[in-house]
Amino acid sequence: MPILQSGIAKPSSGYDIDQSLRFGDGYLRKSFSTGTNPDKVTISCWVKPANLGATASVLFFGYTDANNFEKVVWNASGYLFWTGKVSGSTSFDVYCAAAMRDPSSWYHLTLVYDSAQSTGSDRVNFYINGVLQTKSIDTAPAQNLNSMLLSTTCTIGENQIETQLFKSYMAECHAIDGQALTPASFGETNSATNQFVPIEVTGMTYGTNGFYLP
């Protein structure tokens, strides 16, 4: 039974996602060496909320220590934010203006970090169900600032410094080291339903530290 059937029409590509991971008190973690190109990272995944209103939860967390880290957080109100610290000071802080609160819905996220961009507001982007979202930028990343998500220790589902467990569902996670991609690499809009649906990803180059979790 495809996990994305509820509320999402069968994709025109004929590709179904058949499994997901429910996070509870556990997490996934991997330590990395220097990445392919740490100023460019793309993460694509499907998520379904199960613990909103309780506490902020971390989807992705990259860190070396308590003063040097980066995290993508789904807060208790259903909003995403992406923030980092270098030597104890905030290096960037970007908020997504759209909320994801429906516990019966799967949402597709494409999270794109590209600090090589000349314009600060273009360096962090959130896509939800294939649509580029409006952002609130407290601090933009400095040009060519390296991301820590795939170049230090990456944790999915927990903040290793604070207690911020994910406790929701995730499926079909692609982490791309060294490329700034768009949602078209991972899904498409069904012309009959106008819903964003998954496609089978083939021929993807993940870079030195990238990975795919089916």
Side-chain angles (χ1 to χ4, degrees):
M1 178 69 177
I3 65 168
L4 300 183
Q5 283 291 326
S6 178
I8 297 182
K10 186 175 179 64
S12 56
S13 63
Y15 181 67
D16 291 324
I17 297 174
D18 295 316
Q19 56 192 350
S20 65
L21 183 61
R22 169 71 185 268
F23 287 83
D25 294 325
Y27 56 87
L28 307 175
R29 184 172 64 195
K30 173 71 175 178
S31 294
F32 297 112
S33 57
T34 303
T36 300
N37 185 359
D39 65 4
K40 296 180 187 291
V41 170
T42 302
I43 293 177
S44 161
C45 61
W46 291 87
V47 293
K48 182 180 179 184
N51 196 43
L52 292 184
T55 184
S57 56
V58 168
L59 280 78
F60 301 96
F61 187 72
Y63 73 103
T64 53
D65 53 47
N67 293 313
N68 298 274
F69 63 84
E70 182 178 331
K71 61 183 179 179
V72 180
V73 178
W74 200 352
N75 73 16
S77 298
Y79 294 92
L80 289 173
F81 66 92
W82 196 342
T83 185
K85 282 193 174 183
V86 175
S87 299
S89 298
T90 298
S91 54
F92 68 96
D93 212 353
V94 183
Y95 294 78
C96 180
M100 301 178 293
R101 300 192 183 102
D102 185 354
S104 67
S105 293
W106 283 93
Y107 298 92
H108 183 264
L109 304 180
T110 309
L111 310 172
V112 184
Y113 182 94
D114 185 2
S115 66
Q117 293 291 325
S118 59
T119 303
S121 60
D122 293 335
R123 294 172 191 160
V124 171
N125 282 310
F126 303 89
Y127 296 83
I128 299 177
N129 295 334
V131 178
L132 179 63
Q133 300 298 308
T134 301
K135 299 165 294 188
S136 173
I137 303 174
D138 286 352
T139 305
Q143 190 169 25
N144 299 318
L145 175 71
N146 287 343
S147 171
M148 286 185 273
L149 285 188
L150 297 180
S151 61
T152 53
T153 296
C154 177
T155 302
I156 302 176
E158 187 182 44
N159 181 332
Q160 294 289 289
I161 296 170
E162 305 163 310
T163 303
Q164 292 177 324
L165 296 170
F166 182 43
K167 291 192 174 181
S168 290
Y169 295 88
M170 183 180 291
E172 193 83 350
C173 179
H174 298 266
I176 316 299
D177 171 19
Q179 298 181 71
L181 303 177
T182 68
S185 296
F186 311 101
E188 63 187 9
T189 299
N190 186 305
S191 59
T193 65
N194 204 35
Q195 292 177 310
F196 191 78
V197 294
I199 60 172
E200 184 174 8
V201 176
T202 59
M204 178 63 70
T205 300
Y206 289 90
T208 303
N209 295 338
F211 54 83
Y212 167 52
L213 300 176

